[in-house]
Amino acid sequence: MSTAILLLLASAAADDAPLKWERVKISDATYEAASVFDVDKDGHLDIMSGEYWYSGPEFTERHKVADIRMEGDYYDDFSNNPMDVNGDGYLDVVTGGWFGESFQWRENPKGGMGEWTTHTVAKTGNIERNVFHDIDGDGTEEVFATTNPVHFFKLNQEKGEFDQFTIENALGGHGFGVGDVDGDGHDDLLFATGWMKGPEDPYNVTGYQKFETWNLGMASVPILLHDVDGDGDMDVVYGQGHAYGLFWLERNGDPTLAESWTRRDIEPKRSQFHDVQLADLDNDGKLELVTGKRFRAHMGKDPGAADPLGVYVYTNNGGSFERMTLDYGEAGQASGVGIYFWIEDVDGNGWKDIVCPGKDGLYLFKNLGK
């Protein structure tokens, strides 16, 4: 057999090989939100989670950010998204919480080791979790506080402020997402009880039109849009944040009609899929579905709360999903994904890693490739 054929066979075998992962426990801290960015501009990515940030590339040294309110076993910090709010060249953190009912950002002390100043932007009501999406195409994400009514915020970096917009007549329920449902080029809003068609001007808060097309129960935040079956239109992917099940809705026909959406199972027998994300983890140009269990999402009162924790990657084959289990086991031995996990190539090896916060600790799953 020729050398060329052997090389082709070796290449094909490598393409089919499973990804290899290394689990690293960063901290026992029980915050449920995390992100990755270069806090101090030293050229290394750092991990931010709750009251601390951890210096990369080793993540063994942590630095205090701020004191965060605690209620029961929750910290009132339901997202940690990096944004340079005040335009000083350093990334700050945008957050919000259920108990404080406030949209906030924490000001980076220009990479210094001092604590960060927390700025309250607005009282919004209980924030299940912020969702970040660029609805006007200017390259900067807007911030959607998952509340009812829906409040969303546009950053005015020159002033270091956010402009607030409120959709009073929004649909309700647990769960929220943003994306172009009907393919008209304008972003729409997704809710547990249906979707709202976005107007040409996304800041025209009275221009959103309701379609009560489904009932997703206690849906994940976010609810995702993705062409699951490859037929050219957008389907819906979501988990049950406080019950059993991970599902997708197949669209066939007019998206404004309830009969055009059919629920399909991905993982019906595992529970508390509160955060779901899409990412290309194996570098094949296709998106995998990444999720896991949120530990003690309702302090142990949800269906399946006593079941093992897990972190999962699902490969999509035209609507048929195959699970890769990264971690699975009892609390204290395995990880879940919290309320706001992060996917990033932390170590610069060309393969995206997963940072999982939660009430069981902060973990890094390093993607070692094939």
Side-chain angles (χ1 to χ4, degrees):
M1 189 176 295
S2 72
T3 301
I5 293 175
L6 286 171
L7 288 172
L8 285 171
L9 290 173
S11 176
D15 287 343
D16 292 337
L19 294 174
K20 297 180 180 180
W21 297 85
E22 177 187 356
R23 188 187 74 171
V24 180
K25 188 168 187 178
I26 304 296
S27 173
D28 288 320
T30 59
Y31 312 104
E32 291 191 80
S35 61
V36 175
F37 61 100
D38 188 353
V39 172
D40 52 1
K41 298 178 69 173
D42 67 348
H44 298 293
L45 290 174
D46 310 300
I47 294 175
M48 170 75 69
S49 183
E51 294 185 336
Y52 298 96
W53 66 275
Y54 301 80
S55 298
E58 300 299 328
F59 312 113
T60 54
E61 182 180 2
R62 75 179 188 180
H63 312 280
K64 186 68 177 288
V65 175
D67 292 323
I68 296 175
R69 173 180 176 176
M70 193 174 188
E71 293 279 347
D73 59 359
Y74 297 91
Y75 282 94
D76 202 37
D77 183 53
F78 283 42
S79 61
N80 275 180
N81 199 76
M83 297 180 75
D84 183 4
V85 176
N86 55 7
D88 66 356
Y90 288 84
L91 289 170
D92 311 297
V93 163
V94 173
T95 185
W98 180 267
F99 301 98
E101 302 182 358
S102 297
F103 168 54
Q104 299 176 320
W105 67 282
R106 307 193 205 285
E107 184 177 353
N108 186 337
K110 294 184 172 60
M113 297 303 150
E115 293 194 20
W116 301 35
T117 301
T118 298
H119 302 269
T120 296
V121 177
K123 295 289 286 186
T124 56
N126 306 109
I127 296 177
E128 183 65 37
R129 207 208 78 171
N130 290 325
V131 172
F132 300 82
H133 188 91
D134 180 8
I135 58 167
D136 57 12
D138 68 352
T140 299
E141 292 176 318
E142 282 64 55
V143 186
F144 291 79
T146 305
T147 56
N148 194 7
V150 169
H151 305 283
F152 66 101
F153 300 85
K154 179 175 178 57
L155 175 61
N156 185 333
Q157 195 179 63
E158 292 181 359
K159 294 182 178 180
E161 298 176 353
F162 289 88
D163 297 323
Q164 180 175 346
F165 302 85
T166 301
I167 302 174
E168 296 286 356
N169 65 337
L171 290 169
H174 187 295
F176 181 79
V178 187
D180 187 358
V181 175
D182 55 2
D184 67 352
H186 307 307
D187 280 321
D188 311 304
L189 307 182
L190 291 83
F191 299 85
T193 55
W195 62 283
M196 297 184 74
K197 180 179 174 64
E200 183 175 356
D201 174 9
Y203 301 105
N204 174 14
V205 295
T206 62
Y208 288 82
Q209 184 179 0
K210 295 180 183 180
F211 298 103
E212 298 183 58
T213 48
W214 54 62
N215 188 340
L216 308 184
M218 301 287 275
S220 55
V221 186
I223 301 166
L224 300 174
L225 277 178
H226 182 57
D227 184 4
V228 173
D229 51 8
D231 65 355
D233 58 28
M234 284 297 180
D235 308 296
V236 172
V237 179
Y238 68 100
Q240 287 296 304
H242 299 283
Y244 281 96
L246 179 65
F247 307 103
W248 67 285
L249 295 182
E250 181 181 0
R251 174 187 159 190
N252 284 299
D254 184 346
T256 67
L257 302 177
E259 55 264 33
S260 296
W261 300 94
T262 303
R263 194 183 83 172
R264 309 292 186 192
D265 289 348
I266 300 174
E267 186 79 87
K269 295 183 179 180
R270 297 189 181 186
S271 77
Q272 295 175 85
F273 295 101
H274 206 286
D275 189 3
V276 293
Q277 297 188 38
L278 292 165
D280 182 5
L281 298 181
D282 56 6
N283 293 338
D284 67 350
K286 301 176 183 179
L287 297 177
E288 285 75 53
L289 176 62
V290 188
T291 185
K293 182 175 181 177
R294 180 187 174 198
F295 180 45
R296 292 182 60 82
H298 274 165
M299 295 185 290
K301 299 176 182 177
D302 286 326
D307 296 348
L309 306 184
V311 179
Y312 315 118
V313 175
Y314 295 88
T315 301
N316 174 25
N317 298 301
S320 175
F321 287 83
E322 180 179 355
R323 183 183 70 237
M324 176 195 305
T325 301
L326 273 57
D327 210 10
Y328 188 73
E330 301 302 319
Q333 301 174 1
S335 174
V337 301
I339 197 171
Y340 191 84
F341 72 98
W342 199 265
I343 299 175
E344 185 94 17
D345 181 6
V346 172
D347 53 11
N349 70 345
W351 302 85
K352 290 181 179 177
D353 312 298
I354 307 172
V355 176
C356 297
K359 294 188 179 79
D360 55 320
L362 176 64
Y363 291 82
L364 167 63
F365 289 85
K366 298 178 71 173
N367 186 346
L368 305 181
K370 296 184 177 182

